[in-house]
Amino acid sequence: MEAVKQINVGLLGLGTVGMGVVKIIDGHQEDLMKQTGNRIKVVKALVKDINKKRDWTRSEQLLTSDPWEILRDPEIDIIIEVMGNIEPTFDYLMYALKQGKHVVTANKDLIAMHGAELLAQAKESKCDLYFEESVAGGIPIIRALVEGFASDRITKLIGIVNGTTNYILSKMSEEGRPFEEMLVKAQELGYAEADPSSDIEGLDAARKMAILSNLAFHMEVHFDDVMLKGITQVTQEDIQFSKQLGYEIKLLGIAKLNDNQIEVSVQPTMINKEHPLAKVNGVFNAIYVYGEAVGETMFYGPGAGQLPTATAVVSDLVTVVKQMNLGVNGRGVIPPYRNKQLKSDDLIESSYFIRLKVVDEVGVLSLLTHPFADLRVSIQEVLQVPANEEGKAQLIIITHTTSKAQMNQLIEEINALDVVDHIYSIYPVEEGEAE
Ligand code: NAP
Ligand code: HSE
């Protein structure tokens, strides 16, 4: 009988996700063996503090604080990177790929910033580089984009790709509580990062949208290409008015392709409450994908957490091992092959919600509508309610589709009117239809 070949794995990082990876590899040995024909074993794990107390039942000798013990070990076939950060991680992974080691990484920050360089090195070294778990933890969205939609042309993605902000906004909507209170709750429940700014300022979602856009449009989309606004300014009043008008506010990542030009954004957006994305609540993630041939599809599931993320890591690992057996590693690596062209503001279109405080007297509405008419921005809906101040009123306006350039100009002109006291908020409005 032919001996079972052991595949040796080196882990960079043994924190939340790393421990989950070990649990799944150890717990699913028989399934992994049946699926790959190999015994898969974690033989070394890199940690920062070797003396830290951890829930680790294996030999202490498997732990190291010296990365080169893993990176230079010729017996290690595959590196799983779950340590995070850009440096020194990027250097480690470039080194590993140059040494012919395959890489699986959960590091969205790194892939969003250096994905193209790493993919190019993987191709050159005939190695695999997989990063399913970098976006939307337990949802196999990257495999779906790369393989499931390979024959289609994706024209639009709408994603709820940050669980923390979705939890905060859902709770604000359900319980009527303010942002700050819900942020504390998200931190207490362990959803938000220790420094939650990367969640609430939208950076985490922007990195994930850069990765998804890259794969959907085959262009080298960077984090800096993503128009970005976080949720810190979303108020309970905005949420209540949006509900009254038939919308929910979500932190949506939107990526669109029109005439070979793309736009990618992450911002609090009002979405029609009948749209399935409006019903995605709590820490869940969801990604809506429009393909020219397939039409509309939606992927939904847990976006983070130890086991959902670790299971995606181990699924990538299984793919790498199967490809090792077939001798086809690195062949599936498709670096971006289309030139990136970003839309200018006059080509980025949306409807908008504007909430403002105005002087409550005869003729104000007429004065206010002049800039709309001059700039050819059509009004879809207007709602007037008393402001909490004598002689003032709140106006809520929803426009028809207009360009971002026109909207910026409109806001400038409205702001200059004497009758306008304050512009509280502006949100894009997404009805959710295909482009
Ligand atoms: P974590 O709990 O903080 O674990 C990080 C691990 O890496 C720890 O074991 C740490 O060592 C080690 N480490 C960090 N920097 C190191 C360095 N310079 N040298 C040696 N070891 C180092 O992080 P995590 O939550 O597991 O996340 C890991 C990665 O997965 C990140 O890229 C994250 O964005 C991504 N991710 C996480 C989730 C999630 O739900 N947690 C979901 C999707 C993606 P010590 O143990 O000694 O501190
Ligand atoms: N902080 C991230 C989130 C974790 O809330 O979605 C998963 O990337």
Side-chain angles (χ1 to χ4, degrees):
M1 213 173 85
E2 208 179 314
V4 174
K5 185 174 181 304
Q6 177 167 309
I7 301 294
N8 293 325
V9 175
L11 272 185
L12 303 183
L14 191 63
T16 307
V17 182
M19 287 300 295
V21 168
V22 174
K23 272 186 208 164
I24 291 181
I25 293 180
D26 287 354
H28 298 185
Q29 264 302 316
E30 206 182 314
D31 281 307
L32 297 179
M33 175 111 77
K34 287 259 182 326
Q35 288 183 40
T36 61
N38 297 100
R39 185 183 315 284
I40 299 177
K41 195 163 178 210
V42 175
V43 292
K44 208 87 193 161
L46 175 72
V47 292
K48 202 191 260 180
D49 175 5
I50 202 137
N51 297 315
K52 187 168 165 181
K53 201 166 162 16
R54 53 188 91 232
D55 183 17
W56 174 249
T57 49
R58 303 265 214 91
S59 154
E60 291 299 326
Q61 286 177 352
L62 291 182
L63 297 182
T64 177
S65 56
D66 175 6
W68 304 109
E69 262 192 50
I70 294 176
L71 297 168
R72 292 201 179 121
D73 184 342
E75 300 297 316
I76 290 181
D77 309 284
I78 303 171
I79 300 289
I80 291 181
E81 186 274 299
V82 281
M83 60 185 258
N85 294 320
I86 306 287
E87 289 299 346
T89 321
F90 173 66
D91 295 337
Y92 292 173
L93 296 193
M94 279 303 256
Y95 183 87
L97 289 168
K98 284 180 185 162
Q99 297 306 305
K101 296 190 193 305
H102 309 292
V103 170
V104 174
T105 173
N107 193 331
K108 61 229 161 195
D109 307 23
L110 183 63
I111 293 295
M113 191 172 276
H114 292 297
E117 288 152 271
L118 288 164
L119 279 171
Q121 184 58 53
K123 195 176 170 77
E124 196 184 319
S125 304
K126 296 193 174 49
C127 283
D128 283 336
L129 169 68
Y130 283 99
F131 45 90
E132 179 64 69
E133 46 291 352
S134 62
V135 181
I139 310 175
I141 183 63
I142 291 186
R143 193 158 282 126
L145 291 180
V146 174
E147 291 170 17
F149 290 93
S151 64
D152 206 347
R153 189 148 214 230
I154 296 169
T155 54
K156 188 170 175 183
L157 301 172
I158 312 180
I160 294 176
V161 288
N162 182 271
T164 304
T165 46
N166 200 50
Y167 172 84
I168 293 172
L169 292 175
S170 314
K171 284 287 173 192
M172 284 173 75
S173 173
E174 284 161 16
E175 296 180 7
R177 310 300 306 161
F179 167 80
E180 293 75 12
E181 203 176 298
M182 290 303 112
L183 170 60
V184 171
K185 205 162 171 190
Q187 285 174 303
E188 281 168 5
L189 289 166
Y191 298 147
E193 311 278 332
D195 170 8
S197 59
S198 113
D199 293 313
I200 61 178
E201 301 294 351
L203 310 177
D204 177 79
R207 290 183 188 115
K208 292 168 178 168
M209 286 308 294
I211 295 171
L212 293 182
S213 311
N214 211 303
L215 299 170
F217 305 138
H218 303 287
M219 294 178 190
E220 199 176 321
V221 182
H222 291 282
F223 169 74
D224 293 344
D225 298 324
V226 183
M227 295 177 285
L228 174 60
K229 192 173 169 201
I231 66 162
T232 54
Q233 307 299 317
V234 177
T235 65
Q236 195 47 244
E237 269 189 305
D238 291 333
I239 289 180
Q240 294 312 322
F241 283 122
S242 70
K243 280 169 104 139
Q244 215 172 315
L245 294 163
Y247 297 91
E248 289 287 346
I249 298 180
K250 296 282 180 192
L251 184 70
L252 293 188
I254 298 186
K256 291 188 207 169
L257 171 80
N258 304 91
D259 300 325
N260 292 320
Q261 297 190 33
I262 61 162
E263 62 180 86
V264 188
S265 63
V266 166
Q267 52 192 326
T269 302
M270 288 177 40
I271 182 146
N272 192 308
K273 71 173 171 32
E274 298 309 323
H275 193 280
L277 284 170
K279 300 176 171 69
V280 174
N281 290 320
V283 275
F284 276 86
N285 282 193
I287 299 114
Y288 224 68
V289 183
Y290 295 84
E292 271 178 2
V294 74
E296 304 177 33
T297 58
M298 183 161 142
F299 299 80
Y300 171 81
Q306 183 180 61
L307 292 179
T309 307
T311 198
V313 172
V314 181
S315 295
D316 275 352
L317 178 65
V318 167
T319 305
V320 175
V321 176
K322 283 181 180 167
Q323 299 195 155
M324 285 170 74
N325 290 330
L326 294 170
V328 295
N329 299 102
R331 305 241 187 111
V333 174
I334 310 165
Y337 56 83
R338 286 210 180 95
N339 281 337
K340 177 177 67 189
Q341 290 186 64
L342 294 172
K343 289 184 195 172
S344 55
D345 281 359
D346 53 332
L347 294 177
I348 297 175
E349 295 193 321
S350 178
S351 302
Y352 286 90
F353 163 105
I354 310 164
R355 182 163 75 88
L356 63 168
K357 182 160 71 172
V358 295
V359 176
D360 190 10
E361 59 189 35
V362 174
V364 168
L365 211 50
S366 155
L367 272 175
L368 192 72
T369 53
H370 280 153
F372 284 80
D374 293 346
L375 289 160
R376 321 253 347 121
V377 177
S378 175
I379 293 174
Q380 192 184 127
E381 207 165 341
V382 182
L383 179 69
Q384 179 172 334
V385 290
N388 299 337
E389 201 181 323
E390 186 73 14
K392 300 279 166 59
Q394 275 202 71
L395 280 179
I396 289 98
I397 300 172
I398 295 194
T399 73
H400 281 290
T401 302
T402 187
S403 74
K404 188 172 177 220
Q406 273 172 306
M407 182 50 54
N408 289 343
Q409 178 71 30
L410 177 71
I411 295 302
E412 208 173 289
E413 294 193 14
I414 294 177
N415 229 344
L417 294 174
D418 288 340
V419 294
V420 172
D421 189 283
H422 184 62
I423 298 181
Y424 292 108
S425 46
I426 305 157
Y427 295 97
V429 178
E430 176 65 45
E431 297 295 345
E433 68 281 343
E435 290 299 293

